[in-house]
Amino acid sequence: MTGPNLKHLVEQARSARLVRVLGVYIIASYAILQAVDLLIAQFGLPAWFFPVGLGLLLLGLPVLGATAVIQAHMQKQSEPAAADPAPVDSAGNGVRRLFTWRLAFLGGVLAFLALGSVGATVVWLRIRAHELRPDAVAVMPFHVVGDEVELWREGMVDLLGAALNATGQFHASDPRAVINRWHRLARDPEELPEPDIAAEVAGSLGASRVILGSVIKTGSNGVRLSADLYSVRWRRKEASAAVEGSEDQMTALVDRLTLDLLRSIWRGDSMPEVRVSAMTTTSIPALRAYLEGEQAFRHSQFAEAQAALNQAIEHDSAFAIAHYRLAHAYGWSFGLGAGEISRHLSAALRHSQGLSERDSLLIRGWKLADVDGSLAAIPLFNRLTTRYPDDVEAWHGLGDALFHMGAQDGEPLIASVEPMERALELDSSFAPALIHLVEIAYATDDSTRGREWTERYLALDSTSIYAQSFRLLTPLHFGSPADSARAAAVLDTASSQQLSWMLARMRGTGTPMSLYQRIALAGADPRFTDDERHMPLWFLGLRYMKHGQVSIALDLIQQSMALSGGGMDRAALNLISTAREVGLAVDSTSLQLVERLASRDDYMTPSMAVQAAQEGRSEEAAAVVAELEAIADTLLAQGDSARARSMRGRAWTLRGRIAAAHDSIDEAIANLRRGLSMINATWTGPRDLDRYWLAHLIQDRDGEEEAISVYGSLYWNPWAEAMAYLHRAELHERRGELDEAARYYARFIDMWADADDHLQPRVEAARRALERIRGQRIAS
C-alpha cells in the first residue's frame, strides 16, 4: 500500500471517530458478556452459550468498523463540493446502503435475539423434560484421591443419602439408580463428576438438586470431604461445603457436610440434628464391611455380599440396614432356604427404630411380604412407590409382592410386569427383576417378551443356575424349530437342579406336553440319585393333573413317592385328598392310596376332615381342627408368631368348610373369611383350596364379582386352573357376558381335551354351552 493511500485511510478513520466507536463497542461488549455470564449462572444455559455470544461480538467488530468508515465517507461526500461532482458509482452506493448504523444495530439485536431464543428453548426443553420434585436430591459418586479411599466413591452416595433422609425435609434418590445411570452417561465415571451430566442423571430421576463432591486422603488416617450443591433445573451452584478430620469420624463428617450444604436452602426455623451413625452404625469397621457388601450386591455378586454383610453384623449385631441387605443377598442366591431371609428381615425390623421413613417402610414391606406373607405388603409398596417414585427397591418390592401374592389378592399374574419394568427403567442392571419377568413370559406364553427379557438377563449374568436354565428353556419354549432342537440335544447334560428348576417354571398352558415330558424324563434319568429323580416325576404328575389326566398323574406321583423314601408322602396325601374333595379323583385307587398314607402316621388332612363331617363323623373332623390349633400354640411358644397365625387361620377355614358340609352357609363364609385373613399369602396350596370353596359359597349370594375374581386368580394351582375356567365361564354366561363366557369355555375345553373318562361329561357340557353361545351370537 502506498504512503498516500495509507494516510488517506488514517484520515478517514479519524474523521469517522473509529477509536471512539471501538471504545464504546468494547465497553458495551463487556457489559453484554457480563449479562450473558449472569444469565448462564442464573438459568444454567449450556456451556457453549458464552463462546457463541463472544463470537457474535467479535464478528460485529469489523462490521462496526466498516460501517463507521463508510458512513464517515458518505458524510464527507454530502458536504458542498467544488464545481464538478464525482460520477455516481452504483455498486458503491449499494455497499453504502448495507453498512448503515441502523442495519448494524438491527443485525446485532437480531443476532442476540436468536441466541437468546435458542438458549430459552434449551431451558424450556430442560424444564419440560422431567417433573422435578423439590424435596429430592441425587448424590453422585464422589471423586476420590489417595490410597485406600476407593470405598468412599460409592459409599458417600449411601452415607449422604442416609443423612438427607434423616433431615425429614429432603430425601435422596435411590443410590442404585443414581450409580447405574451415572456409569452409563459419564465419560469417565472415576473422574471428577461433570455438573451438566450429573444434572442430567438427577433430572431423569426427578431430583431437583444434585450433590457432587470429592474425598481426599490428607494423611495416614485423615480425609477431606468437599461437596457442591447444584440446582438441576438452572444448573447453578447453590452451596459449597468442606470438612476435614479422621477417617474414623466419617459419619460425623458426613453429618457436618450435609448440614453445611443445606443451610442455604433450608425451609424452616431451625436445622435438624442429623446423625448418620444412628441410621447406620457407630462402628467404622461395620460400616466399611456394609459398604463393601452393598457395592458387591449392586453388581449381583451375592456370595461376596453375604460374606461382607455377615462381617458387618459381627461388628454390630444391631445394624438394621446390614440385616436388611443380607436378607436380600440370601434371597437372590439360588437354592437357599427361607430361614436366613426370615431371620435377618425380622432382625432388621427389630432394630429399625431411628431409621428414615423410606428405610423403615422398605424393611416393614419386605418383612410383611417375605416373612408374614401378608397382603398388606401390596398397599404398603404402592405407598412407597408414590412417595419415592425413583426408588428401585420400592418398585421391585411391589412387583415381587404381586408376583408371589397377587393371585391371593385377586390380581392377574401380569400385574407384576409394570412395577418390575419400572425398576429396570431406573436401573437396567437390576437382574432379579428380569428373573421374574422371564418366568412370567413362560407362564403366559409370551414369546416376544420372553426372548427379549432372556437376552437382557444373559447380558448381565452368564454363569448362575438362572442363566443356565434360561439358556436352555427359552429356545425350547420360544425358539425356532432349529433352536429348540439344539437346546433339546443338550438336555441330557443338564444338572438335576437345572432341570427341576425349569419344570417348576413351565406353568403356561401353551407349553406342549411333549416338551414337558422330555424335560421331566431327562430329570428322572438313572444317572441322578433317587433323591434328585423324584421331583421331575412329581412335577410331571402335577402337569397331568392340570390337564385332567388324573390316572397318569397318580401313577407318576406314586413313582415320585417311592424314589423320595417317604419324603413326599405327606405332600401326596394332601394333594390326592384335595383332588378327591373337589371331584377330580373318584376311583378306588386314589381312595386306597389316601387310606394307606393316612394310616402310616395316624394323620388326617383338612380335606379328609371335611369328608368325615359329611359322613357324620363330627368328632374326627373336630379333632383335626384341634390339632391345627395345638400346632399354632406350639409355634407361638417357640416365638414363630407368623406361622402360628397362619396355622390358626387354617383352623378357622377348616371350621368354615365343615360348617358348609353341614349346610351352615353363613357360618361357613364368615369362618372362611376370618381364616383367610390370617393365613400366609405365600401358602398358595391351602389358601387356594379355601378360596375355591369360598367362591362356590358366595357366587349365589350376591358375590358373583368376587367369585369371578377368585376363579380368575387360581392360575398357580394345578388342580384348580381348569375347573376355575369352567366356573368362571358359567358365571359370565349367567350374567349375559357371552364373549367372556365363550373365552373361558374354550380355555377349559382345550385344557381338558384329553381328560379321564369320568371327567369328560364336564367337557361335553362345556362344548354344548360354547355351541349354544356361538349360535346366539350368530342369531343376534
Side-chain angles (χ1 to χ4, degrees), residues 399 402-404 406-407 411-417 436 439-444 507 712-713 715-716:
L402 287 169
F403 180 84
H404 290 290
E411 294 283 353
L413 180 59
I414 58 171
S416 60
V417 170
H436 282 336
E439 292 176 317
I440 291 169
Y442 294 151
T444 58
R507 297 173 175 175
S713 64
Y715 43 79
W716 286 140

Side-chain angles (χ1 to χ4, degrees), residues 442-653:
Y442 294 151
T444 58
D445 304 308
D446 188 339
S447 60
T448 301
R449 291 201 288 183
R451 286 192 295 265
E452 175 198 337
W453 288 329
T454 299
E455 288 174 7
R456 290 179 64 181
Y457 184 84
L458 294 177
L460 299 171
D461 168 27
S462 60
T463 59
S464 73
I465 185 67
Y466 301 110
Q468 296 170 31
S469 302
F470 291 159
R471 199 176 286 115
L472 269 181
L473 188 49
T474 295
L476 282 170
H477 209 300
F478 301 132
S480 65
D483 290 340
S484 183
R486 280 192 292 270
V490 298
L491 276 177
D492 293 338
T493 65
S495 68
S496 173
Q497 183 187 48
Q498 187 179 353
L499 293 166
S500 292
W501 190 90
M502 291 163 61
L503 288 168
R505 268 75 192 166
M506 295 174 66
R507 297 173 175 175
T509 55
T511 306
M513 181 61 80
S514 58
L515 173 59
Y516 210 90
Q517 286 174 325
R518 176 69 192 272
I519 297 173
L521 293 177
D525 192 277
R527 66 191 171 101
F528 299 124
T529 67
D530 286 353
D531 192 51
E532 292 172 324
R533 293 168 59 203
H534 82 269
M535 283 310 298
L537 293 173
W538 178 269
F539 284 129
L540 186 58
L542 296 183
R543 187 75 182 190
Y544 275 105
M545 181 79 75
K546 178 176 184 173
H547 290 279
Q549 295 172 276
V550 182
S551 57
I552 298 176
L554 290 176
D555 181 57
L556 289 164
I557 287 167
Q558 289 183 81
Q559 291 182 52
S560 174
M561 291 164 54
L563 290 171
S564 71
M568 297 299 292
D569 286 3
R570 184 66 65 90
L573 178 58
N574 274 289
L575 175 66
I576 299 168
S577 62
T578 297
R580 290 188 59 80
E581 182 185 1
V582 299
L584 276 178
V586 296
D587 59 306
S588 58
T589 302
S590 62
L591 176 60
Q592 292 170 4
L593 184 56
V594 166
E595 291 175 344
R596 177 167 58 85
L597 290 172
S599 66
R600 284 185 180 178
D601 54 4
D602 194 25
Y603 171 74
M604 286 185 69
T605 68
S607 290
M608 295 170 66
V610 172
Q611 182 183 355
Q614 291 171 338
E615 295 173 355
R617 294 179 282 125
S618 299
E619 290 183 1
E620 292 182 33
V624 178
V625 174
E627 183 179 356
L628 292 172
E629 291 281 9
I631 294 172
D633 291 339
T634 302
L635 289 169
L636 189 60
Q638 294 171 350
D640 194 344
S641 58
R643 291 184 65 203
R645 176 179 171 83
S646 293
M647 293 305 298
R648 215 170 299 283
R650 293 198 66 189
W652 277 107
T653 57

Side-chain angles (χ1 to χ4, degrees), residues 213-549:
S214 62
V215 178
I216 301 174
K217 189 90 172 194
T218 58
S220 60
N221 194 39
V223 289
R224 184 176 189 274
L225 311 182
S226 59
D228 298 318
L229 179 70
Y230 284 86
S231 163
V232 169
R233 176 159 288 157
W234 307 119
R235 308 288 168 92
R236 63 171 176 260
K237 188 186 297 185
E238 295 186 321
S240 294
V243 295
E244 195 165 350
S246 165
E247 196 171 358
D248 293 336
Q249 303 171 314
M250 184 60 79
T251 55
L253 294 177
V254 171
D255 295 344
R256 285 166 48 198
L257 185 71
T258 304
L259 293 177
D260 288 348
L261 281 175
L262 297 181
R263 288 187 200 284
S264 63
I265 60 171
W266 186 258
R267 299 185 302 273
D269 297 331
S270 60
M271 295 287 289
E273 180 185 4
V274 175
R275 292 184 61 232
V276 171
S277 59
M279 303 180 69
T280 54
T281 178
T282 56
S283 166
I284 293 299
L287 181 64
R288 277 185 161 277
Y290 163 72
L291 292 175
E292 289 172 2
E294 188 73 42
Q295 291 176 27
F297 181 81
R298 287 187 186 123
H299 292 88
S300 298
Q301 298 167 343
F302 301 129
E304 293 85 347
Q306 290 164 23
L309 292 165
N310 270 311
Q311 285 184 12
I313 291 170
E314 286 177 11
H315 289 296
D316 182 356
S317 61
F319 195 169
I321 299 298
H323 279 292
Y324 167 76
R325 183 59 70 222
L326 185 54
H328 282 278
Y330 280 122
W332 291 348
S333 298
F334 184 84
L336 292 175
E340 290 295 326
I341 300 170
S342 175
R343 183 166 72 88
H344 288 293
L345 281 176
S346 298
L349 186 64
R350 192 165 57 250
H351 299 298
S352 63
Q353 185 175 3
L355 295 183
S356 68
E357 178 193 47
R358 179 255 184 193
D359 289 335
S360 297
L361 287 175
L362 274 176
I363 290 173
R364 186 178 163 216
W366 282 100
K367 166 70 162 49
L368 284 170
D370 285 1
V371 179
D372 303 331
S374 171
L375 294 174
I378 295 174
L380 190 148
F381 279 121
N382 265 314
R383 175 184 165 192
L384 260 168
T385 57
T386 302
R387 177 72 178 90
Y388 306 107
D390 63 339
D391 198 300
V392 175
E393 292 186 62
W395 284 106
H396 179 243
L398 177 58
D400 196 74
L402 287 169
F403 180 84
H404 290 290
M405 301 189 297
Q408 302 301 317
D409 203 30
E411 294 283 353
L413 180 59
I414 58 171
S416 60
V417 170
E418 184 179 349
M420 292 289 188
E421 288 192 317
R422 176 59 178 154
L424 285 167
E425 182 185 330
L426 291 166
D427 180 0
S428 59
S429 67
F430 194 68
L434 283 165
I435 293 173
H436 282 336
L437 286 174
V438 176
E439 292 176 317
I440 291 169
Y442 294 151
T444 58
D445 304 308
D446 188 339
S447 60
T448 301
R449 291 201 288 183
R451 286 192 295 265
E452 175 198 337
W453 288 329
T454 299
E455 288 174 7
R456 290 179 64 181
Y457 184 84
L458 294 177
L460 299 171
D461 168 27
S462 60
T463 59
S464 73
I465 185 67
Y466 301 110
Q468 296 170 31
S469 302
F470 291 159
R471 199 176 286 115
L472 269 181
L473 188 49
T474 295
L476 282 170
H477 209 300
F478 301 132
S480 65
D483 290 340
S484 183
R486 280 192 292 270
V490 298
L491 276 177
D492 293 338
T493 65
S495 68
S496 173
Q497 183 187 48
Q498 187 179 353
L499 293 166
S500 292
W501 190 90
M502 291 163 61
L503 288 168
R505 268 75 192 166
M506 295 174 66
R507 297 173 175 175
T509 55
T511 306
M513 181 61 80
S514 58
L515 173 59
Y516 210 90
Q517 286 174 325
R518 176 69 192 272
I519 297 173
L521 293 177
D525 192 277
R527 66 191 171 101
F528 299 124
T529 67
D530 286 353
D531 192 51
E532 292 172 324
R533 293 168 59 203
H534 82 269
M535 283 310 298
L537 293 173
W538 178 269
F539 284 129
L540 186 58
L542 296 183
R543 187 75 182 190
Y544 275 105
M545 181 79 75
K546 178 176 184 173
H547 290 279
Q549 295 172 276

Side-chain angles (χ1 to χ4, degrees), residues 749-764:
I749 293 166
D750 183 60
M751 190 173 289
W752 269 18
D754 298 318
D756 289 350
D757 290 343
H758 71 278
L759 299 176
Q760 282 299 325
R762 301 192 202 184
V763 180
E764 289 303 318

Side-chain angles (χ1 to χ4, degrees), residues 181-202:
R181 295 195 178 203
W182 172 251
H183 279 272
R184 282 160 48 194
L185 292 178
R187 294 184 181 90
D188 185 350
E190 296 187 359
E191 290 301 317
L192 194 66
E194 300 176 41
D196 282 346
I197 296 177
E200 186 177 344
V201 171

